Amino acid sequence: MLSLIPQKLPLVFAPTPLHPLETLSRETGCSIWIKRDDLTGPGLFGGNKMRKLEYLLAQAKKEGATHVLTYGASQSNHAMETAAACRRFGLEPVLFLLALVAPDAQEKKGNLKLNGLLGAEVHLLKAEDFQGRTSQEALQEEANRRMAQIKAEGGHCFEIPMGGSNALGTLGYLDAYMEMKEQCRRLGIAPFDAIYASTGSGGTWAGLLAGQACLGGREEIRGVSAGLAGETYVGQVTRLANEALVLRNLKPTLKEENLLLDQDYVGEGYEIPSAASTAALQRMARREGIFLDPVYTAKAFAALLDHIEKGDIKAGSSILFWHTGGISALFAESTIVGQLD
Ligand SMILES: *Cc1c(COP(=O)(O)O)cnc(C)c1O
């Protein structure tokens, strides 16, 4: 028996633009294109999480949710995008955030400032709040307490995992891959040799892989890690991609050994800029007038540039750089942003 295909709410300005990076293509001898998911909307600071939220919030609405609770680092783009998307559909956003980098004591920065503007309920956990628990345990226990409270008050809280990366959210990037292929068809662009995308909680990369599996595409889809990934990471991403295929009544055909994870551009760690990521951010701005973010896209673009430089990507190749957003982090704490000028 076929199950119903999940529905989504309209949140994304789709299709997002797909265009060549002419100056960088000339400089590098490769044909570099960009997919502008920094422009997904609904506000100035779009980003990849909006595509997942179209499915996730449709489910929340279907279940009659009053509140939506999610998790992230203090400068989480996902948390801010969730809060913005909730406002569009009359839902109360509740954010449980982990202060990996100490928030600016004087002034809320970046996404913390936007969360305040959106009137989101923000719970910011610092190391002293853990009390012998791991950060994840502390976050989950505090969130569970808040969810029980909302329930006791007669509300219904819809919980979204970190990064919106469950099978349902992943469908947003299965659709995004299809959207890109349709644009290429209409514009007469030959299939790309490779696609580069930043990967964190994994849903974006998993969705692109799932979309490719649906259509039988041949591009190398490289996931460039924004933080050091554990040993089980590629297995988890494979599982997510396969679960998304099953939600679409398709066969789960992805195999872990076919995934191309690149961890060489993490630098010292998540939310810590590297010389290469800062240089990549500057180069995109100074050659194309396009802003990347310091935490995710700058590291993914650093990988792409370095792979061309080292000859891992052959001269004349066509490459799609998938811009996943995160621009609001350019206004985060200076330890996250780095020295840009
Ligand atoms: C969350 C995020 C990513 C990573 O996407 P995942 O689906 O979590 O892997 C990449 N870029 C930006 C700007 C993000 O906010």
Side-chain angles (χ1 to χ4, degrees):
M1 196 187 77
L2 291 184
S3 61
L4 285 178
I5 287 174
Q7 299 298 299
K8 55 182 178 180
L9 289 173
L11 198 55
V12 173
F13 299 145
T16 57
L18 172 73
H19 64 84
L21 297 176
E22 282 169 3
T23 306
L24 285 169
S25 295
R26 218 177 306 121
E27 278 184 4
T28 58
C30 286
S31 170
I32 309 177
W33 290 68
I34 189 167
K35 177 71 172 155
R36 300 296 301 274
D37 278 6
D38 51 327
L39 303 177
T40 50
L44 182 59
F45 306 111
N48 60 344
K49 305 310 179 307
M50 290 298 176
R51 291 191 186 269
K52 305 177 184 183
L53 287 160
E54 288 195 323
Y55 282 103
L56 294 165
L57 295 192
Q59 185 62 26
K61 279 297 212 187
K62 192 171 152 195
E63 291 180 12
T66 53
H67 294 68
V68 169
L69 183 148
T70 198
Y71 308 91
S74 55
Q75 284 297 345
S76 164
N77 299 312
H78 162 67
M80 184 280 288
E81 289 173 61
T82 299
C86 278
R87 289 316 191 192
R88 171 98 149 67
F89 295 112
L91 294 158
E92 281 297 321
V94 183
L95 310 177
F96 276 81
L97 308 180
L98 209 53
L100 300 171
V101 169
D104 191 297
Q106 263 78 53
E107 184 199 357
K108 286 192 188 124
K109 294 284 181 77
N111 286 315
L112 284 174
K113 176 176 268 183
L114 296 176
N115 293 339
L117 175 57
L118 290 160
E121 179 185 316
V122 176
H123 301 262
L124 193 60
L125 270 74
K126 305 190 183 72
E128 63 259 33
D129 303 320
F130 300 168
Q131 297 168 347
R133 301 170 291 187
T134 67
S135 58
Q136 290 311 313
E137 284 165 358
L139 210 58
Q140 192 63 59
E141 281 177 28
E142 300 302 322
N144 287 348
R145 189 171 310 155
R146 181 64 186 120
M147 281 191 278
Q149 200 180 20
I150 290 169
K151 194 172 172 195
E153 289 163 358
H156 174 61
C157 194
F158 184 79
E159 186 184 15
I160 295 179
M162 186 101 54
S165 286
N166 54 18
L168 190 59
T170 296
L171 284 181
Y173 267 86
L174 185 154
D175 291 353
Y177 179 89
M178 306 248 179
E179 176 184 305
M180 179 274 293
K181 290 298 266 191
E182 174 60 19
Q183 277 175 314
C184 287
R185 196 188 58 75
R186 266 190 291 113
L187 298 170
I189 305 166
F192 297 107
D193 296 311
I195 299 174
Y196 279 67
S198 169
T199 187
S201 63
T204 300
W205 189 27
L208 293 176
L209 291 162
Q212 186 186 44
C214 288
L215 297 186
R218 301 286 297 275
E219 310 89 351
E220 272 186 17
I221 304 185
R222 291 186 173 267
V224 184
S225 232
L228 217 49
E231 270 174 31
T232 58
Y233 184 77
V234 175
Q236 285 163 16
V237 173
T238 309
R239 193 165 342 108
L240 260 182
N242 281 329
E243 285 171 3
L245 288 169
V246 169
L247 279 182
R248 279 289 166 83
N249 294 317
L250 294 164
K251 286 209 180 68
T253 50
L254 281 146
K255 297 206 170 44
E256 188 171 339
E257 57 268 29
N258 296 332
L259 269 61
L260 298 164
L261 176 70
D262 197 320
Q263 298 216 65
D264 292 346
Y265 300 86
V266 171
E268 283 178 51
Y270 181 71
E271 288 188 334
I272 306 174
S274 65
S277 69
T278 297
L281 215 157
Q282 288 173 333
R283 193 159 171 201
M284 182 70 99
R286 293 171 189 185
R287 294 293 184 274
E288 301 287 345
I290 294 172
F291 302 119
L292 298 177
D293 85 289
V295 181
Y296 294 95
T297 50
K299 287 181 180 173
F301 196 57
L304 189 162
L305 290 174
D306 195 45
H307 288 174
I308 294 177
E309 182 102 340
K310 288 194 306 202
D312 293 350
I313 297 175
K314 285 201 293 286
S317 300
S318 69
I319 310 152
L320 177 61
F321 178 70
W322 208 297
H323 194 327
T324 44
I327 307 309
S328 40
L330 280 176
F331 309 99
E333 289 76 13
S334 59
T335 51
I336 294 175
V337 180
Q339 181 64 40
L340 296 182
D341 53 8

